[in-house]
Amino acid sequence: MESTIIEKIKKEIENFDLTSKEENIGRVVSVGDGVAEIEGLSDVKMGEMVLFDNSQNKSLKEAIDKDNDLYGMVLNLEEDSVKVIILGDVSFVYESMLVKSTGRVLSVPVSDEIIGRVVNTMAEPIDGKGAIKADKYMPVERDAYGVIDRKSVDTPLHTGIKAIDTMVPIGRGQRELIIGDRFTGKTTVAIDTIINQKHEPENERPICVYVSVGQKEAKTALIVAELQKQGAMDYTIVVDAGASTTAAMQFLAPYAGVAIAEYFMEKGRDVLIIYDDLSKQAVAYRQVSLLLRRPPGREAYPGDIFYLHSRLLERSAKLSDAKGGGSITALPIIETQEGDVSAYIPTNVISITDGQIALDSSLFNKGIRPAIDVGNSVSRVGSAAQTKAIKSVGGGLRIELAQFRELEAFMQFAQDLDEATKKRIDKGQRMVELLKQQKGSPMPFEVQTVSIYAGMNDLYKNVDVDKISETEKKWVDYIDAEHKDILDDIRSSKKLSDETTKKLDEAMNSFKKLIENK
């Protein structure tokens, strides 16, 4: 019986007219490693979706027992054939299978229902919570908005991390790179930023998109669990292309993520998107390119590897009021080897982004977490959007820490230090301790303001360095309990007025007496 079905299929394939004018149909010539070579698709375009067609006869559909449509994406246009990456189970594609062109570029279905869900690269739910109704299909590849459609970054995006919000601020619509070696806390910085958005007013809270590329499924599951525990999944979408998925799916996942983000941006919403990480996406793209027989260049990457990331990150924007005023803020993550930021992929992404948050493994190993290297971290845009309250208290913090780092190195060799140098080192040590923050505990900006203000104005001058964190917690609790009006005023006005500064100084004097008496 089985041989009869196969013979029938072969006969139908042989008799099928590939030159039919009604539809542009081709046939699979060869398939392997997630790539299919197809002849006969004379009218397809670059990036177009093609359908591996099992609907021509019922017996074929039953023979492979596959009800879901299987698509591919055209990536190579050659003289006699096209090469297609398969977006699904490769085992269902075989030689002589019929393929239809669809006439549309690769798109993903999006609607408001996608918020709070975990989806794959094709925006199909993988969290077992049922189907997502599509409102619109967003193209995975598209041109970025032009200069006329954009406006300057003018609204802060608070990360809840003191060291970032004071010294490397991020604005909505910015692209800020998170770069560092393995196990230096890059993902932690990104996830804490998502969690911190719960402190924003609901009408100003950005939608968050976390794109996991080539990560272990266990790691992504832990992240989703943490977001659920913190109540952050209510405004977050997770796009998962784990290490077990094909290279094609990993390469396309960030584009699918930004397509989802654009749906909300075009509705006038602010969006925060995290690409974790683009180093793995570049490796996946290199794999796809080599399978497509594209000529390798430096480090075996194809010649258009820079364009891979530039056309992705340029889609982040702050739209003009005429376009609805929405924004996409991107936090791409890049992994370095032994802190080498001059390697091929890191230099590419550094040149595309508006600054970087550099994480240092030696600081991390010393217990300074987040391990932000102030000297190599910069924000080229965010200071224009920085909240005035934080700007006023943290203005001198970067210089203070930079001077401390130099003196710290000198201190190892010097025997006697003058009084002024000792004071500067003491204060530097206390500020470093003050900027430490536990994982999963981002701070609202008004709390950061009173914390940094106290540090810069010598509240912790006589406190032992190892008790700074404990004292800071007591200070914040004291302000929250006894002087909540200060926090409310900073939160509503977003600045530190003379009257509020006076109240803060009085509160500091009262707190000093309180801890001295104890």
Side-chain angles (χ1 to χ4, degrees), residues 222-234:
L222 284 171
I223 287 168
V224 172
E226 176 68 13
L227 292 173
Q228 284 171 337
K229 181 184 167 188
Q230 297 273 8
M233 274 307 282
D234 295 343

Side-chain angles (χ1 to χ4, degrees), residues 72-362:
M73 179 185 178
V74 177
L75 275 187
N76 266 26
L77 299 174
E78 297 174 4
E79 194 173 351
D80 301 316
S81 62
V82 297
K83 281 190 179 144
V84 168
I85 52 171
I86 300 161
L87 306 172
D89 195 335
V90 180
S91 63
F92 290 112
V93 179
Y94 52 86
E95 287 182 25
S96 297
M97 190 177 191
L98 299 180
V99 185
K100 283 183 184 176
S101 68
T102 62
R104 61 189 176 98
V105 294
L106 184 63
S107 306
V108 291
V110 194
S111 71
D112 285 358
E113 287 183 17
I114 203 169
I115 298 172
R117 302 298 298 273
V118 183
V119 298
N120 64 12
T121 301
M122 302 303 290
E124 297 163 342
I126 53 173
D127 54 5
K129 294 182 181 176
I132 299 168
K133 187 182 172 186
D135 175 43
K136 192 175 180 182
Y137 279 82
M138 298 297 294
V140 167
E141 290 271 16
R142 63 178 284 184
D143 287 342
Y145 280 95
V147 176
I148 303 301
D149 297 326
R150 301 177 183 233
K151 71 172 183 179
S152 298
V153 171
D154 58 5
T155 312
L157 182 116
H158 297 118
T159 64
I161 298 166
K162 290 174 282 189
I164 294 174
D165 287 344
T166 51
M167 295 182 287
V168 200
I170 300 168
R172 297 191 185 194
Q174 190 176 343
R175 300 152 303 180
E176 184 78 7
L177 173 63
I178 301 171
I179 189 167
D181 285 2
R182 265 189 103 194
F183 302 120
T184 50
K186 301 185 295 297
T187 301
T188 301
V189 167
I191 297 304
D192 283 357
T193 303
I194 292 177
I195 293 168
N196 187 60
Q197 303 317 306
K198 69 183 178 185
H199 296 134
E200 296 293 323
E202 202 166 328
N203 61 327
E204 296 175 18
R205 185 181 297 152
I207 300 291
C208 299
V209 182
Y210 175 75
V211 183
S212 172
V213 182
Q215 306 292 339
K216 288 184 286 190
E217 299 292 359
K219 179 185 174 182
T220 308
L222 284 171
I223 287 168
V224 172
E226 176 68 13
L227 292 173
Q228 284 171 337
K229 181 184 167 188
Q230 297 273 8
M233 274 307 282
D234 295 343
Y235 52 85
T236 303
I237 303 147
V238 176
V239 180
D240 181 27
S244 61
T245 59
T246 62
M249 290 300 210
Q250 290 179 42
F251 141 61
L252 288 171
Y255 294 101
V258 79
I260 293 167
E262 281 172 338
Y263 169 79
F264 293 102
M265 177 174 73
E266 288 175 357
K267 292 174 81 172
R269 298 289 300 269
D270 290 321
V271 185
L272 167 67
I273 186 163
I274 286 143
Y275 305 111
D276 190 8
D277 65 51
L278 293 189
S279 303
K280 289 186 174 68
Q281 190 214 9
V283 169
Y285 185 61
R286 174 170 64 184
Q287 188 177 333
V288 168
S289 297
L290 292 172
L291 290 168
L292 291 166
R293 305 284 182 189
R294 291 182 179 175
R298 178 176 163 189
E299 293 178 31
Y301 288 106
D304 64 340
I305 192 74
F306 179 87
Y307 184 54
L308 172 80
H309 290 144
S310 65
R311 73 179 191 263
L312 171 71
L313 294 169
E314 278 298 326
R315 287 164 73 175
S316 302
K318 172 75 173 171
L319 292 186
S320 64
D321 294 335
K323 288 283 179 182
S327 72
I328 295 176
T329 309
L331 296 181
I333 295 174
I334 286 286
E335 186 180 295
T336 54
Q337 306 290 332
E338 298 291 325
D340 182 15
V341 293
S342 64
Y344 191 23
I345 301 301
T347 48
N348 279 353
V349 184
I350 285 170
S351 66
I352 297 164
T353 48
D354 307 312
Q356 68 274 348
I357 297 162
L359 300 175
D360 186 87
S361 53
S362 61

Side-chain angles (χ1 to χ4, degrees), residues 262-512:
E262 281 172 338
Y263 169 79
F264 293 102
M265 177 174 73
E266 288 175 357
K267 292 174 81 172
R269 298 289 300 269
D270 290 321
V271 185
L272 167 67
I273 186 163
I274 286 143
Y275 305 111
D276 190 8
D277 65 51
L278 293 189
S279 303
K280 289 186 174 68
Q281 190 214 9
V283 169
Y285 185 61
R286 174 170 64 184
Q287 188 177 333
V288 168
S289 297
L290 292 172
L291 290 168
L292 291 166
R293 305 284 182 189
R294 291 182 179 175
R298 178 176 163 189
E299 293 178 31
Y301 288 106
D304 64 340
I305 192 74
F306 179 87
Y307 184 54
L308 172 80
H309 290 144
S310 65
R311 73 179 191 263
L312 171 71
L313 294 169
E314 278 298 326
R315 287 164 73 175
S316 302
K318 172 75 173 171
L319 292 186
S320 64
D321 294 335
K323 288 283 179 182
S327 72
I328 295 176
T329 309
L331 296 181
I333 295 174
I334 286 286
E335 186 180 295
T336 54
Q337 306 290 332
E338 298 291 325
D340 182 15
V341 293
S342 64
Y344 191 23
I345 301 301
T347 48
N348 279 353
V349 184
I350 285 170
S351 66
I352 297 164
T353 48
D354 307 312
Q356 68 274 348
I357 297 162
L359 300 175
D360 186 87
S361 53
S362 61
L363 292 175
F364 187 86
N365 294 334
K366 280 182 191 174
I368 298 169
R369 296 170 192 178
I372 294 167
D373 180 354
V374 179
N376 287 325
S377 299
V378 64
S379 175
R380 301 188 189 104
V381 181
S383 56
Q386 192 175 16
T387 308
K388 287 178 181 174
I390 294 179
K391 199 172 188 176
S392 62
V393 299
L397 186 56
R398 179 186 278 272
I399 295 168
E400 191 91 40
L401 285 178
Q403 289 174 339
F404 166 67
R405 293 266 179 251
E406 283 189 23
L407 290 170
E408 190 182 33
F410 173 71
M411 187 175 65
Q412 296 173 26
F413 307 103
Q415 297 296 320
D416 297 315
L417 297 171
D418 62 88
E419 202 59 38
T421 306
K422 275 183 184 174
K423 278 183 182 176
R424 184 152 276 169
I425 288 169
D426 284 348
K427 188 171 182 181
Q429 286 173 334
R430 281 160 176 73
M431 291 312 294
V432 166
E433 200 65 30
L434 184 64
L435 290 175
K436 287 183 183 178
Q437 222 164 321
Q438 290 294 316
K439 178 181 177 180
S441 56
M443 273 189 180
F445 79 90
E446 66 273 20
V447 177
Q448 290 184 49
T449 303
V450 298
S451 173
I452 300 296
Y453 182 86
M456 294 298 281
N457 288 279
D458 296 331
L459 176 66
Y460 310 114
K461 188 178 178 182
N462 299 318
V463 178
D464 293 339
V465 173
D466 60 348
K467 291 188 177 174
I468 295 288
S469 295
E470 185 188 326
T471 309
E472 182 209 17
K473 189 177 184 307
K474 286 178 183 174
W475 162 242
V476 168
D477 290 344
Y478 173 74
I479 286 285
D480 192 40
E482 304 293 330
H483 300 275
K484 203 167 191 312
D485 57 316
I486 294 175
L487 293 176
D488 292 341
D489 183 60
I490 295 169
R491 184 160 188 80
S492 58
S493 67
K494 292 185 168 55
K495 60 184 181 184
L496 205 58
S497 64
D498 292 341
E499 190 185 337
T500 309
T501 305
K502 192 178 175 184
K503 285 182 184 175
L504 254 179
D505 289 336
E506 288 171 3
M508 277 172 57
N509 289 331
S510 305
F511 182 73
K512 273 182 186 173

